[in-house]
Amino acid sequence: MHLPADLLKLSMPWWEFILRACVVYFMLLTLMRMAGKRAMGQFTSFDMLLLVLLGNAVQNALLGTDSSVAGGLLLAATLISLNWLVGLVSARSAKVDRLVEGAPVLLGRDGQIYREVLRRELISRADFDRAMREQGIEDVGDIALAVLETNGHIALLQRHDAAGAR
């Protein structure tokens, strides 16, 4: 079997692919981190569209004019390696984990919902009410603690007196 000559020929030095992948990876990581926890945890069809468009938007930044299989594989290997490395460093360093993942955010306590915090974290009251229904809590007064986890999930702890009354 004969392969076309330019199938594996890179249009730029190999290290430029790695540099481009590193720059794009860390810039996207920063932008996604700035987007907030809700954007990551509440994945909707709009978020899927954003993901597809982001991939298309950064394609040229990654590949430049290269369309070789070798270039694509080198980029894929670099991005997967970067992701693994960030995961490894995050698992071993609480400081890096907090920088990459963020920290949980208190949304409410003892039946009080912190509306300013909901607004800052881009959580609508409808999203909060949905989390209550999903977790079997009927009334805001039954909530002991409401936390926006680092993965974007809203965790609700029910008050003991409310749980026992049912």
Side-chain angles (χ1 to χ4, degrees):
M1 178 172 171
H2 185 286
L3 297 174
D6 62 346
L7 190 64
L8 299 176
K9 184 179 179 195
L10 301 176
S11 66
M12 57 190 159
W14 64 269
W15 56 265
E16 191 172 330
F17 284 93
I18 294 172
L19 178 63
R20 285 170 176 260
C22 290
V23 169
V24 170
Y25 180 86
F26 287 113
M27 285 304 299
L28 284 177
L29 182 64
T30 301
L31 291 171
M32 297 304 279
R33 178 69 179 88
M34 289 171 45
K37 289 178 236 8
R38 188 212 172 271
M40 298 288 83
Q42 308 290 328
F43 205 73
T44 66
S45 57
F46 298 108
D47 298 320
M48 178 60 108
L49 177 61
L50 175 64
L51 189 62
V52 169
L53 291 174
L54 272 175
N56 194 41
V58 301
Q59 178 181 3
N60 289 340
L62 289 168
L63 288 170
T65 60
D66 193 277
S67 59
S68 69
V69 172
L73 292 174
L74 182 57
L75 281 172
T78 302
L79 291 170
I80 290 169
S81 297
L82 283 172
N83 200 54
W84 178 83
L85 184 63
V86 168
L88 177 70
V89 173
S90 294
R92 294 185 179 184
S93 168
K95 195 174 204 177
V96 172
D97 185 54
R98 190 174 183 96
L99 180 68
V100 172
E101 293 293 331
V105 176
L106 186 64
L107 300 175
R109 173 179 274 147
D110 297 326
Q112 297 289 343
I113 303 306
Y114 305 147
R115 297 188 194 292
E116 283 301 314
V117 177
L118 289 179
R119 192 175 358 261
R120 185 182 70 229
E121 296 295 330
L122 305 176
I123 299 172
S124 69
R125 183 56 197 249
D127 288 339
F128 191 86
D129 290 345
R130 183 179 317 110
M132 285 178 48
R133 287 190 303 276
E134 288 172 354
Q135 296 176 50
I137 297 176
E138 296 176 13
D139 185 65
V140 172
D142 294 340
I143 297 173
L145 196 65
V147 176
L148 178 61
E149 300 291 353
T150 59
N151 65 0
H153 179 74
I154 298 171
L156 303 171
L157 298 177
Q158 194 169 23
R159 293 170 58 163
H160 292 295
D161 55 338
R166 297 212 156 103

